[in-house]
Coordinates of all heavy atoms in Angstrom, one line a residue:
M1 N 56.4 -27.5 -117.5 CA 56.7 -27.8 -116.1 C 57.1 -26.6 -115.3 O 56.8 -26.4 -114.1 CB 58.0 -28.8 -116.2 CG 58.5 -29.3 -114.9 SD 57.3 -30.4 -114.2 CE 58.1 -30.8 -112.7
S2 N 57.9 -25.7 -116.0 CA 58.4 -24.5 -115.2 C 57.1 -23.6 -114.8 O 57.2 -22.9 -113.8 CB 59.3 -23.7 -116.1 OG 58.8 -23.3 -117.2
K3 N 56.1 -23.6 -115.7 CA 54.9 -22.8 -115.3 C 54.2 -23.3 -114.1 O 53.8 -22.6 -113.3 CB 53.9 -22.8 -116.5 CG 54.3 -21.9 -117.7 CD 53.3 -21.9 -118.8 CE 53.8 -21.1 -120.0 NZ 52.7 -21.1 -121.0
I4 N 54.2 -24.6 -113.9 CA 53.6 -25.2 -112.8 C 54.4 -24.9 -111.5 O 53.8 -24.6 -110.5 CB 53.5 -26.8 -113.0 CG1 52.5 -27.1 -114.1 CG2 53.0 -27.5 -111.7 CD1 52.5 -28.6 -114.5
V5 N 55.7 -25.0 -111.6 CA 56.6 -24.7 -110.5 C 56.4 -23.2 -110.1 O 56.3 -22.9 -108.9 CB 58.0 -25.0 -110.8 CG1 59.0 -24.6 -109.7 CG2 58.2 -26.5 -111.0
A6 N 56.3 -22.4 -111.1 CA 56.2 -21.0 -110.8 C 54.9 -20.7 -110.2 O 54.7 -19.8 -109.2 CB 56.3 -20.2 -112.1
T7 N 53.8 -21.3 -110.6 CA 52.5 -21.2 -110.0 C 52.5 -21.6 -108.5 O 51.9 -21.0 -107.7 CB 51.4 -21.9 -110.8 OG1 51.5 -21.5 -112.2 CG2 50.0 -21.7 -110.3
L8 N 53.1 -22.8 -108.3 CA 53.1 -23.3 -106.9 C 53.9 -22.3 -106.0 O 53.5 -22.1 -104.9 CB 53.8 -24.7 -106.9 CG 52.9 -25.8 -107.5 CD1 53.7 -27.2 -107.6 CD2 51.7 -26.0 -106.6
I9 N 55.0 -21.8 -106.5 CA 55.8 -20.9 -105.7 C 55.1 -19.6 -105.4 O 55.0 -19.1 -104.3 CB 57.2 -20.6 -106.4 CG1 58.0 -21.9 -106.3 CG2 57.9 -19.4 -105.6 CD1 59.3 -21.8 -107.1
A10 N 54.4 -19.1 -106.4 CA 53.6 -17.9 -106.2 C 52.4 -18.1 -105.2 O 52.1 -17.2 -104.4 CB 53.0 -17.4 -107.6
G11 N 51.8 -19.3 -105.3 CA 50.8 -19.6 -104.3 C 51.3 -19.7 -102.9 O 50.7 -19.3 -102.0
L12 N 52.5 -20.3 -102.8 CA 53.2 -20.4 -101.5 C 53.4 -19.0 -100.9 O 53.1 -18.8 -99.7 CB 54.4 -21.2 -101.6 CG 55.2 -21.4 -100.3 CD1 54.4 -22.4 -99.5 CD2 56.6 -22.0 -100.6
F13 N 53.9 -18.1 -101.7 CA 54.1 -16.8 -101.1 C 52.9 -16.0 -100.8 O 52.7 -15.3 -99.8 CB 55.0 -15.9 -102.2 CG 56.4 -16.2 -102.2 CD1 57.0 -16.7 -103.3 CD2 57.2 -15.9 -101.1 CE1 58.3 -17.0 -103.4 CE2 58.6 -16.2 -101.1 CZ 59.2 -16.8 -102.2
A14 N 51.8 -16.2 -101.7 CA 50.6 -15.5 -101.4 C 49.9 -16.0 -100.1 O 49.4 -15.2 -99.3 CB 49.6 -15.8 -102.6
T15 N 50.0 -17.3 -99.8 CA 49.4 -17.8 -98.6 C 50.2 -17.4 -97.4 O 49.6 -17.3 -96.3 CB 49.3 -19.4 -98.7 OG1 50.6 -19.9 -98.9 CG2 48.3 -19.8 -99.7
S16 N 51.5 -17.3 -97.6 CA 52.3 -16.8 -96.4 C 52.0 -15.4 -96.0 O 52.1 -15.1 -94.9 CB 53.8 -17.0 -96.7 OG 54.2 -16.2 -97.7
V17 N 51.7 -14.6 -97.0 CA 51.4 -13.2 -96.7 C 50.1 -13.2 -95.9 O 50.0 -12.4 -95.0 CB 51.3 -12.4 -98.0 CG1 50.7 -11.0 -97.7 CG2 52.7 -12.3 -98.7
Y18 N 49.1 -13.9 -96.3 CA 47.8 -13.9 -95.6 C 47.8 -14.6 -94.3 O 47.0 -14.3 -93.4 CB 46.7 -14.5 -96.5 CG 46.3 -13.6 -97.7 CD1 46.6 -14.0 -99.0 CD2 45.7 -12.4 -97.5 CE1 46.3 -13.2 -100.1 CE2 45.4 -11.6 -98.5 CZ 45.6 -11.9 -99.8 OH 45.4 -11.1 -100.9
A19 N 48.7 -15.5 -94.1 CA 48.8 -16.2 -92.9 C 49.3 -15.4 -91.7 O 49.0 -15.6 -90.6 CB 49.7 -17.5 -93.0
Q20 N 50.2 -14.4 -92.1 CA 50.7 -13.5 -91.0 C 49.7 -12.4 -90.7 O 49.1 -11.8 -91.6 CB 51.9 -12.8 -91.5 CG 53.1 -13.7 -91.8 CD 54.3 -13.1 -92.4 OE1 54.2 -11.9 -92.6 NE2 55.3 -13.8 -92.5
T21 N 49.4 -12.3 -89.4 CA 48.4 -11.2 -89.0 C 49.2 -10.2 -88.2 O 50.1 -10.6 -87.4 CB 47.3 -11.8 -88.2 OG1 47.8 -12.5 -87.0 CG2 46.4 -12.8 -89.0
T22 N 48.8 -9.0 -88.3 CA 49.4 -8.0 -87.5 C 48.6 -7.8 -86.2 O 47.4 -7.8 -86.2 CB 49.5 -6.7 -88.2 OG1 48.2 -6.3 -88.6 CG2 50.3 -6.8 -89.5
A23 N 49.3 -7.4 -85.1 CA 48.7 -7.2 -83.9 C 48.2 -5.7 -83.8 O 49.1 -4.8 -84.1 CB 49.6 -7.4 -82.7
T24 N 47.0 -5.5 -83.6 CA 46.5 -4.1 -83.5 C 46.5 -3.6 -82.1 O 46.1 -4.4 -81.1 CB 45.0 -4.1 -84.1 OG1 44.2 -5.0 -83.3 CG2 45.0 -4.5 -85.5
P25 N 47.0 -2.4 -81.9 CA 47.0 -1.9 -80.5 C 45.6 -1.6 -80.0 O 44.8 -1.1 -80.8 CB 47.9 -0.6 -80.6 CG 47.8 -0.2 -82.0 CD 47.6 -1.5 -82.8
A26 N 45.4 -1.9 -78.8 CA 44.0 -1.7 -78.2 C 43.7 -0.2 -78.1 O 42.7 0.3 -78.5 CB 43.9 -2.4 -76.9
T27 N 44.6 0.5 -77.5 CA 44.5 2.0 -77.3 C 45.7 2.6 -77.6 O 46.8 2.1 -77.5 CB 44.0 2.3 -75.8 OG1 45.1 1.8 -75.0 CG2 42.7 1.6 -75.5
T28 N 45.6 4.0 -77.8 CA 46.8 4.7 -78.1 C 47.2 5.4 -76.8 O 46.4 5.9 -76.0 CB 46.6 5.8 -79.1 OG1 45.5 6.7 -78.7 CG2 46.2 5.3 -80.5
T29 N 48.5 5.3 -76.5 CA 49.0 5.9 -75.3 C 49.6 7.3 -75.5 O 49.8 7.7 -76.7 CB 50.2 5.0 -74.8 OG1 51.2 5.0 -75.8 CG2 49.7 3.6 -74.5
P30 N 49.8 8.1 -74.6 CA 50.3 9.4 -74.7 C 51.7 9.4 -75.4 O 52.0 10.3 -76.2 CB 50.4 10.0 -73.3 CG 49.4 9.2 -72.5 CD 49.4 7.9 -73.1
A31 N 52.4 8.4 -75.2 CA 53.8 8.3 -75.8 C 53.5 8.1 -77.4 O 54.3 8.7 -78.1 CB 54.5 7.1 -75.3
T32 N 52.5 7.4 -77.7 CA 52.2 7.3 -79.2 C 51.8 8.6 -79.7 O 52.2 9.0 -80.8 CB 51.2 6.2 -79.4 OG1 51.6 5.0 -78.7 CG2 51.0 5.9 -80.8
K33 N 51.0 9.3 -79.0 CA 50.5 10.6 -79.5 C 51.7 11.6 -79.6 O 51.8 12.3 -80.6 CB 49.5 11.2 -78.5 CG 48.1 10.6 -78.5 CD 47.1 11.2 -77.6 CE 45.8 10.5 -77.7 NZ 44.8 11.1 -76.8
A34 N 52.6 11.5 -78.7 CA 53.8 12.4 -78.8 C 54.6 12.0 -80.0 O 55.2 12.8 -80.7 CB 54.6 12.2 -77.6
A35 N 54.7 10.7 -80.3 CA 55.4 10.3 -81.5 C 54.7 10.7 -82.8 O 55.4 11.2 -83.7 CB 55.6 8.7 -81.5
V36 N 53.4 10.7 -82.7 CA 52.6 11.2 -83.9 C 52.9 12.7 -84.1 O 53.1 13.1 -85.2 CB 51.2 10.9 -83.7 CG1 50.3 11.6 -84.8 CG2 50.9 9.4 -83.8
K37 N 52.9 13.4 -83.0 CA 53.1 14.8 -83.0 C 54.5 15.1 -83.6 O 54.7 16.0 -84.4 CB 53.0 15.4 -81.6 CG 52.5 16.8 -81.6 CD 52.3 17.3 -80.1 CE 50.9 17.8 -79.9 NZ 50.7 18.4 -78.6
A38 N 55.5 14.3 -83.1 CA 56.9 14.5 -83.6 C 57.0 14.2 -85.1 O 57.6 14.9 -85.9 CB 57.8 13.7 -82.8
D39 N 56.3 13.2 -85.5 CA 56.2 12.8 -87.0 C 55.6 13.9 -87.8 O 56.1 14.2 -88.9 CB 55.5 11.5 -87.2 CG 56.3 10.3 -86.7 OD1 57.5 10.4 -86.5 OD2 55.7 9.2 -86.5
K40 N 54.6 14.5 -87.2 CA 53.8 15.6 -87.9 C 54.8 16.8 -88.0 O 54.8 17.4 -89.1 CB 52.6 16.0 -87.1 CG 51.6 16.8 -87.9 CD 50.3 17.0 -87.0 CE 49.3 17.7 -87.8 NZ 48.1 17.9 -86.9
K41 N 55.5 17.1 -87.0 CA 56.5 18.2 -87.0 C 57.6 17.9 -88.1 O 58.0 18.8 -88.8 CB 57.1 18.5 -85.7 CG 56.2 19.3 -84.7 CD 56.9 19.6 -83.4 CE 56.0 20.3 -82.5 NZ 56.6 20.7 -81.2
A42 N 58.0 16.7 -88.1 CA 59.1 16.3 -89.1 C 58.6 16.4 -90.5 O 59.3 16.8 -91.4 CB 59.6 14.9 -88.7
A43 N 57.3 16.0 -90.7 CA 56.7 16.1 -92.0 C 56.6 17.6 -92.4 O 56.9 17.9 -93.6 CB 55.4 15.4 -92.0
K44 N 56.2 18.4 -91.5 CA 56.1 19.8 -91.8 C 57.5 20.4 -92.2 O 57.6 21.2 -93.1 CB 55.5 20.6 -90.6 CG 54.0 20.5 -90.5 CD 53.5 21.5 -89.4 CE 52.0 21.4 -89.2 NZ 51.6 22.3 -88.2
A45 N 58.5 20.0 -91.4 CA 59.8 20.5 -91.7 C 60.3 20.1 -93.1 O 60.9 20.8 -93.8 CB 60.8 20.0 -90.6
E46 N 60.0 18.8 -93.4 CA 60.4 18.3 -94.7 C 59.7 19.0 -95.8 O 60.3 19.4 -96.9 CB 60.1 16.8 -94.8 CG 61.0 15.9 -94.1 CD 60.7 14.4 -94.2 OE1 59.9 14.1 -95.2 OE2 61.2 13.6 -93.4
A47 N 58.4 19.3 -95.6 CA 57.6 20.0 -96.6 C 58.1 21.4 -96.8 O 58.3 21.9 -97.9 CB 56.2 20.1 -96.2
K48 N 58.5 22.0 -95.7 CA 59.1 23.4 -95.7 C 60.4 23.4 -96.5 O 60.7 24.3 -97.3 CB 59.3 23.9 -94.3 CG 59.6 25.4 -94.2 CD 59.5 25.8 -92.7 CE 59.6 27.3 -92.6 NZ 59.7 27.8 -91.2
E49 N 61.3 22.4 -96.2 CA 62.6 22.3 -96.8 C 62.4 22.1 -98.3 O 63.1 22.7 -99.2 CB 63.4 21.1 -96.2 CG 64.8 21.0 -96.8 CD 65.5 19.9 -96.1 OE1 65.3 19.7 -94.9 OE2 66.2 19.1 -96.8
E50 N 61.4 21.2 -98.7 CA 61.2 20.9 -100.1 C 60.7 22.1 -100.8 O 61.0 22.4 -102.0 CB 60.2 19.8 -100.2 CG 60.0 19.3 -101.6 CD 59.2 18.0 -101.8 OE1 59.1 17.2 -100.8 OE2 58.5 17.9 -102.8
K51 N 59.9 22.9 -100.1 CA 59.3 24.1 -100.7 C 60.5 25.1 -100.9 O 60.5 25.8 -102.0 CB 58.2 24.8 -99.7 CG 57.6 26.0 -100.2 CD 56.6 26.5 -99.2 CE 56.0 27.8 -99.7 NZ 55.0 28.3 -98.8
A52 N 61.4 25.2 -100.0 CA 62.5 26.1 -100.2 C 63.4 25.6 -101.4 O 63.9 26.4 -102.2 CB 63.4 26.1 -98.9
D53 N 63.5 24.3 -101.5 CA 64.3 23.7 -102.6 C 63.7 24.0 -104.0 O 64.3 24.4 -104.9 CB 64.5 22.2 -102.5 CG 65.4 21.8 -101.4 OD1 66.2 22.7 -101.0 OD2 65.4 20.6 -101.0
V54 N 62.3 23.9 -104.0 CA 61.6 24.2 -105.2 C 61.7 25.7 -105.6 O 61.9 26.1 -106.7 CB 60.1 23.8 -105.1 CG1 59.2 24.3 -106.2 CG2 60.0 22.3 -104.9
K55 N 61.7 26.6 -104.5 CA 61.8 28.0 -104.8 C 63.2 28.3 -105.4 O 63.4 29.1 -106.3 CB 61.7 28.8 -103.5 CG 60.2 29.2 -103.2 CD 60.2 30.1 -102.0 CE 58.9 30.7 -101.7 NZ 58.9 31.6 -100.6
A56 N 64.2 27.7 -104.8 CA 65.6 27.9 -105.2 C 65.7 27.4 -106.7 O 66.4 28.1 -107.6 CB 66.6 27.2 -104.4
D57 N 65.1 26.3 -107.0 CA 65.2 25.7 -108.4 C 64.5 26.7 -109.3 O 64.9 27.0 -110.5 CB 64.6 24.3 -108.5 CG 65.4 23.3 -107.8 OD1 66.6 23.5 -107.6 OD2 64.9 22.2 -107.5
A58 N 63.4 27.2 -108.9 CA 62.6 28.1 -109.7 C 63.4 29.4 -110.0 O 63.5 29.9 -111.1 CB 61.3 28.5 -109.1
K59 N 64.1 29.9 -109.0 CA 65.0 31.1 -109.1 C 66.1 30.8 -110.1 O 66.4 31.7 -111.0 CB 65.6 31.5 -107.8 CG 64.6 32.2 -106.9 CD 65.3 32.7 -105.6 CE 64.4 33.4 -104.7 NZ 65.0 33.9 -103.5
L60 N 66.7 29.6 -110.1 CA 67.7 29.3 -111.0 C 67.2 29.2 -112.4 O 67.9 29.7 -113.3 CB 68.4 28.0 -110.6 CG 69.3 28.0 -109.3 CD1 69.7 26.6 -109.0 CD2 70.5 28.9 -109.5
E61 N 66.1 28.6 -112.6 CA 65.5 28.5 -113.9 C 65.1 29.9 -114.4 O 65.3 30.2 -115.6 CB 64.2 27.6 -113.8 CG 64.5 26.1 -113.7 CD 63.3 25.3 -113.5 OE1 62.1 25.9 -113.7 OE2 63.4 24.1 -113.2
K62 N 64.7 30.7 -113.6 CA 64.3 32.1 -114.0 C 65.6 32.8 -114.4 O 65.6 33.5 -115.5 CB 63.6 32.9 -112.8 CG 63.2 34.2 -113.2 CD 62.5 34.9 -112.0 CE 62.1 36.3 -112.4 NZ 61.5 37.0 -111.3
K63 N 66.7 32.7 -113.7 CA 67.9 33.3 -114.1 C 68.5 32.8 -115.3 O 68.9 33.5 -116.2 CB 69.0 33.2 -112.9 CG 68.7 34.0 -111.7 CD 69.9 34.3 -111.0 CE 69.6 35.1 -109.7 NZ 70.1 36.4 -109.7
A64 N 68.3 31.5 -115.6 CA 68.8 30.9 -116.8 C 67.9 31.4 -117.9 O 68.5 31.7 -119.0 CB 68.7 29.4 -116.7
A65 N 66.7 31.6 -117.8 CA 65.8 32.1 -118.8 C 66.1 33.6 -119.1 O 66.2 34.0 -120.3 CB 64.3 32.0 -118.4
E66 N 66.4 34.3 -118.1 CA 66.8 35.7 -118.2 C 68.1 35.8 -119.0 O 68.3 36.7 -119.9 CB 66.9 36.5 -116.9 CG 65.6 36.8 -116.2 CD 65.7 37.4 -114.8 OE1 66.9 37.6 -114.4 OE2 64.7 37.6 -114.2
A67 N 69.0 35.0 -118.6 CA 70.3 34.9 -119.3 C 70.2 34.6 -120.8 O 70.8 35.2 -121.7 CB 71.2 33.9 -118.7
S68 N 69.3 33.6 -121.1 CA 69.1 33.3 -122.5 C 68.4 34.4 -123.2 O 68.7 34.6 -124.4 CB 68.4 32.0 -122.6 OG 67.1 32.1 -122.1
S69 N 67.5 35.1 -122.6 CA 66.8 36.2 -123.2 C 67.8 37.4 -123.4 O 67.7 38.1 -124.4 CB 65.6 36.6 -122.5 OG 65.9 37.5 -121.4
D70 N 68.7 37.5 -122.4 CA 69.7 38.6 -122.6 C 70.6 38.3 -123.7 O 71.0 39.2 -124.5 CB 70.6 38.7 -121.3 CG 69.8 39.3 -120.1 OD1 68.7 39.9 -120.4 OD2 70.2 39.2 -119.0
V71 N 71.0 37.0 -124.0 CA 71.8 36.6 -125.0 C 71.1 36.9 -126.4 O 71.7 37.4 -127.3 CB 72.2 35.1 -124.9 CG1 72.8 34.6 -126.2 CG2 73.1 34.9 -123.8
A72 N 69.8 36.6 -126.4 CA 69.0 36.8 -127.6 C 68.9 38.3 -127.9 O 69.1 38.7 -129.1 CB 67.6 36.2 -127.4
V73 N 68.8 39.2 -126.9 CA 68.8 40.6 -127.1 C 70.1 41.1 -127.6 O 70.2 41.9 -128.5 CB 68.4 41.3 -125.8 CG1 68.6 42.8 -125.9 CG2 66.9 41.0 -125.4
A74 N 71.1 40.5 -127.0 CA 72.5 40.9 -127.4 C 72.8 40.6 -128.9 O 73.4 41.3 -129.6 CB 73.6 40.3 -126.5
K75 N 72.3 39.4 -129.3 CA 72.5 39.0 -130.6 C 71.7 39.8 -131.6 O 72.2 40.2 -132.6 CB 72.1 37.5 -130.8 CG 73.0 36.5 -130.3 CD 72.6 35.1 -130.5 CE 73.6 34.1 -130.0 NZ 73.2 32.7 -130.2
A76 N 70.5 40.2 -131.2 CA 69.6 41.1 -132.0 C 70.3 42.4 -132.1 O 70.4 43.1 -133.3 CB 68.3 41.2 -131.4
D77 N 70.9 43.0 -131.0 CA 71.6 44.2 -131.1 C 72.8 44.2 -132.0 O 73.1 45.1 -132.8 CB 72.0 44.7 -129.7 CG 70.9 45.1 -128.8 OD1 69.8 45.4 -129.4 OD2 71.1 45.3 -127.6
A78 N 73.5 43.1 -131.9 CA 74.7 42.9 -132.8 C 74.3 42.8 -134.2 O 75.0 43.4 -135.1 CB 75.5 41.6 -132.4
A79 N 73.2 42.1 -134.5 CA 72.8 42.0 -135.9 C 72.3 43.4 -136.4 O 72.6 43.8 -137.6 CB 71.6 41.0 -136.0
K80 N 71.7 44.2 -135.6 CA 71.2 45.5 -135.9 C 72.4 46.4 -136.2 O 72.5 47.1 -137.2 CB 70.4 46.1 -134.8 CG 69.7 47.4 -135.1 CD 68.8 47.8 -133.9 CE 68.1 49.1 -134.2 NZ 67.3 49.5 -133.1
K81 N 73.5 46.3 -135.3 CA 74.7 47.2 -135.5 C 75.4 46.7 -136.7 O 75.9 47.6 -137.5 CB 75.6 47.0 -134.3 CG 75.2 47.8 -133.1 CD 76.1 47.6 -131.9 CE 75.6 48.3 -130.7 NZ 76.5 48.1 -129.5
K82 N 75.4 45.5 -137.0 CA 76.1 44.9 -138.3 C 75.4 45.4 -139.5 O 76.0 45.9 -140.4 CB 76.1 43.4 -138.2 CG 76.8 42.8 -139.4 CD 76.9 41.3 -139.3 CE 77.6 40.6 -140.4 NZ 77.6 39.1 -140.3
A83 N 74.0 45.4 -139.5 CA 73.3 45.9 -140.6 C 73.5 47.4 -140.8 O 73.7 47.9 -142.0 CB 71.8 45.6 -140.4
K84 N 73.5 48.1 -139.7 CA 73.8 49.6 -139.8 C 75.1 49.9 -140.4 O 75.3 50.7 -141.2 CB 73.7 50.2 -138.4 CG 73.6 51.7 -138.4 CD 73.3 52.2 -137.0 CE 73.2 53.7 -136.9 NZ 72.9 54.2 -135.6
A85 N 76.2 49.1 -139.9 CA 77.5 49.3 -140.4 C 77.5 49.0 -141.9 O 78.2 49.6 -142.7 CB 78.5 48.4 -139.6
H86 N 76.9 47.9 -142.3 CA 76.9 47.5 -143.7 C 76.2 48.6 -144.6 O 76.7 48.9 -145.7 CB 76.1 46.2 -143.9 CG 76.0 45.7 -145.3 ND1 77.1 45.2 -145.9 CD2 75.0 45.5 -146.1 CE1 76.8 44.9 -147.1 NE2 75.5 45.0 -147.3
K87 N 75.2 49.1 -144.0 CA 74.4 50.2 -144.7 C 75.4 51.4 -144.9 O 75.5 52.0 -146.0 CB 73.2 50.6 -144.0 CG 72.3 51.6 -144.7 CD 71.1 51.9 -143.9 CE 70.3 53.0 -144.5 NZ 69.1 53.3 -143.7
K88 N 76.1 51.8 -143.9 CA 77.1 52.9 -144.0 C 78.2 52.6 -145.0 O 78.5 53.5 -145.7 CB 77.6 53.2 -142.6 CG 76.7 54.0 -141.6 CD 77.4 54.3 -140.3 CE 76.6 55.1 -139.4 NZ 77.3 55.5 -138.2
A89 N 78.7 51.4 -144.9 CA 79.7 51.1 -145.8 C 79.3 51.1 -147.3 O 79.9 51.6 -148.2 CB 80.2 49.6 -145.5
T90 N 78.1 50.6 -147.5 CA 77.5 50.7 -148.8 C 77.3 52.1 -149.3 O 77.6 52.4 -150.5 CB 76.1 49.9 -148.9 OG1 76.3 48.6 -148.4 CG2 75.5 49.9 -150.3
K91 N 76.8 53.0 -148.4 CA 76.6 54.4 -148.8 C 78.0 55.1 -149.0 O 78.0 55.8 -150.0 CB 75.9 55.1 -147.6 CG 75.5 56.5 -147.9 CD 74.7 57.2 -146.8 CE 74.4 58.5 -147.1 NZ 73.7 59.2 -146.0
A92 N 79.0 54.7 -148.3 CA 80.3 55.2 -148.5 C 80.8 54.8 -149.9 O 81.5 55.6 -150.6 CB 81.2 54.9 -147.4
K93 N 80.6 53.5 -150.2 CA 81.1 53.1 -151.5 C 80.4 53.8 -152.6 O 81.0 54.1 -153.6 CB 80.8 51.5 -151.6 CG 81.8 50.7 -150.8 CD 81.5 49.2 -151.0 CE 82.4 48.3 -150.2 NZ 82.0 46.9 -150.3
V94 N 79.1 53.9 -152.5 CA 78.3 54.7 -153.5 C 78.8 56.1 -153.7 O 79.0 56.6 -154.8 CB 76.8 54.6 -153.2 CG1 76.0 55.5 -154.1 CG2 76.3 53.1 -153.3
D95 N 79.0 56.8 -152.5 CA 79.5 58.2 -152.6 C 80.9 58.2 -153.2 O 81.2 59.1 -154.0 CB 79.6 58.7 -151.2 CG 78.2 59.0 -150.6 OD1 77.2 59.0 -151.4 OD2 78.0 59.2 -149.3
A96 N 81.8 57.3 -152.9 CA 83.1 57.2 -153.4 C 83.0 57.0 -155.0 O 83.8 57.6 -155.7 CB 83.9 56.1 -152.8
A97 N 82.1 56.1 -155.4 CA 82.0 55.8 -156.8 C 81.4 57.1 -157.6 O 81.9 57.5 -158.7 CB 81.1 54.7 -157.1
A98 N 80.5 57.8 -156.9 CA 80.0 59.0 -157.5 C 81.1 60.1 -157.6 O 81.2 60.8 -158.6 CB 78.8 59.5 -156.7
D99 N 81.8 60.2 -156.5 CA 83.0 61.2 -156.6 C 84.0 60.8 -157.7 O 84.5 61.7 -158.4 CB 83.6 61.3 -155.2 CG 82.8 61.9 -154.1 OD1 81.8 62.6 -154.5 OD2 83.1 61.7 -152.9
K100 N 84.2 59.6 -157.8 CA 85.2 59.1 -158.8 C 84.7 59.4 -160.2 O 85.4 59.9 -161.0 CB 85.5 57.6 -158.6 CG 86.6 57.1 -159.5 CD 86.8 55.6 -159.2 CE 87.9 55.0 -160.1 NZ 88.0 53.6 -159.9
A101 N 83.4 59.2 -160.4 CA 82.8 59.4 -161.7 C 82.8 60.9 -162.0 O 83.1 61.3 -163.1 CB 81.4 58.8 -161.7
E102 N 82.5 61.7 -161.0 CA 82.5 63.2 -161.2 C 83.9 63.7 -161.5 O 84.1 64.5 -162.4 CB 82.0 63.8 -159.9 CG 81.8 65.3 -160.0 CD 81.3 66.0 -158.8 OE1 80.3 65.4 -158.1 OE2 81.7 67.0 -158.4
A103 N 84.9 63.1 -160.8 CA 86.3 63.5 -161.0 C 86.7 63.1 -162.4 O 87.4 63.9 -163.1 CB 87.2 62.9 -160.0
H104 N 86.3 61.9 -162.8 CA 86.6 61.4 -164.1 C 85.9 62.3 -165.2 O 86.6 62.6 -166.3 CB 86.2 59.9 -164.3 CG 86.6 59.3 -165.6 ND1 87.9 59.1 -165.9 CD2 85.8 58.9 -166.6 CE1 88.0 58.5 -167.1 NE2 86.8 58.3 -167.5
A105 N 84.7 62.7 -164.9 CA 84.0 63.6 -165.9 C 84.7 64.9 -166.0 O 84.8 65.5 -167.1 CB 82.6 63.7 -165.5
D106 N 85.1 65.4 -164.9 CA 85.8 66.8 -164.8 C 87.1 66.6 -165.6 O 87.6 67.5 -166.4 CB 86.1 67.2 -163.4 CG 84.9 67.7 -162.7 OD1 83.9 68.0 -163.4 OD2 84.9 67.8 -161.4
Q107 N 87.8 65.5 -165.4 CA 89.1 65.3 -166.1 C 88.9 65.2 -167.6 O 89.7 65.8 -168.4 CB 89.7 64.0 -165.6 CG 91.2 63.9 -165.9 CD 91.7 62.6 -165.3 OE1 91.0 61.6 -165.0 NE2 93.0 62.6 -165.0
K108 N 87.9 64.6 -168.1 CA 87.5 64.5 -169.5 C 87.2 65.8 -170.0 O 87.6 66.2 -171.1 CB 86.4 63.5 -169.7 CG 86.7 62.1 -170.0 CD 85.5 61.3 -170.5 CE 85.9 60.0 -171.0 NZ 84.7 59.3 -171.5
A109 N 86.5 66.6 -169.3 CA 86.0 68.0 -169.7 C 87.3 68.9 -169.8 O 87.4 69.6 -170.8 CB 85.0 68.6 -168.7
D110 N 88.2 68.8 -168.9 CA 89.5 69.5 -169.0 C 90.3 69.1 -170.1 O 91.0 69.9 -170.8 CB 90.3 69.4 -167.7 CG 89.6 70.1 -166.5 OD1 88.8 71.0 -166.8 OD2 89.9 69.8 -165.3
A111 N 90.3 67.8 -170.4 CA 91.1 67.3 -171.5 C 90.5 67.7 -172.9 O 91.2 67.9 -173.8 CB 91.2 65.8 -171.5
A112 N 89.2 67.8 -172.9 CA 88.5 68.3 -174.2 C 88.8 69.7 -174.5 O 88.7 70.1 -175.6 CB 87.1 68.0 -174.1
K113 N 89.1 70.6 -173.6 CA 89.2 72.0 -173.8 C 90.5 72.3 -174.4 O 91.4 72.2 -174.8 CB 89.2 72.8 -172.5 CG 87.8 72.9 -171.9 CD 87.8 73.8 -170.7 CE 86.5 73.9 -170.0 NZ 86.5 74.7 -168.9

């Protein structure tokens, strides 16, 4: 039953749309041409404004990308410095162990005399 009612209502709306006719103007007047010109100018202004908005968005995205790349470079530099410091610390430990072993060997040699 509800399908039948829905079909009848849809048909009613469809026929009401086709029953209405729009009046077409016979000729365009200079006032209409001026309105069209004004609409054209407004459309150009909107396009120009949208273009400026897009440019600003692109600049922001570019800055964000640069900032993220700067962060990546900073992280890489930090990792490089950390590795270098670790290498120096390891070398210092090895040198200290060698010095300690040498001192221990000298002490043994002195004790043996």
Side-chain angles (χ1 to χ4, degrees):
M1 181 71 178
S2 63
K3 287 183 181 179
I4 294 173
V5 173
T7 306
L8 289 173
I9 292 173
L12 183 68
F13 282 117
T15 55
S16 67
V17 169
Y18 288 111
Q20 296 175 355
T21 59
T22 58
T24 57
T27 58
T28 57
T29 60
T32 307
K33 286 183 182 180
V36 169
K37 210 178 236 188
D39 288 342
K40 195 174 186 181
K41 283 185 180 182
K44 279 186 180 181
E46 284 181 18
K48 194 174 187 180
E49 184 178 321
E50 188 171 331
K51 185 178 177 182
D53 288 343
V54 169
K55 270 188 172 181
D57 289 343
K59 283 183 182 180
L60 289 175
E61 288 176 9
K62 184 178 178 182
K63 288 206 183 244
E66 286 176 0
S68 65
S69 82
D70 288 345
V71 168
V73 169
K75 284 183 179 180
D77 287 344
K80 188 175 178 182
K81 286 180 182 180
K82 185 177 178 182
K84 191 174 182 180
H86 181 68
K87 185 178 177 182
K88 282 185 179 181
T90 305
K91 186 176 179 182
K93 285 180 184 178
V94 169
D95 289 344
D99 289 342
K100 185 178 179 183
E102 186 180 318
H104 185 65
D106 286 343
Q107 193 177 29
K108 268 190 169 181
D110 288 340
K113 285 186 184 181

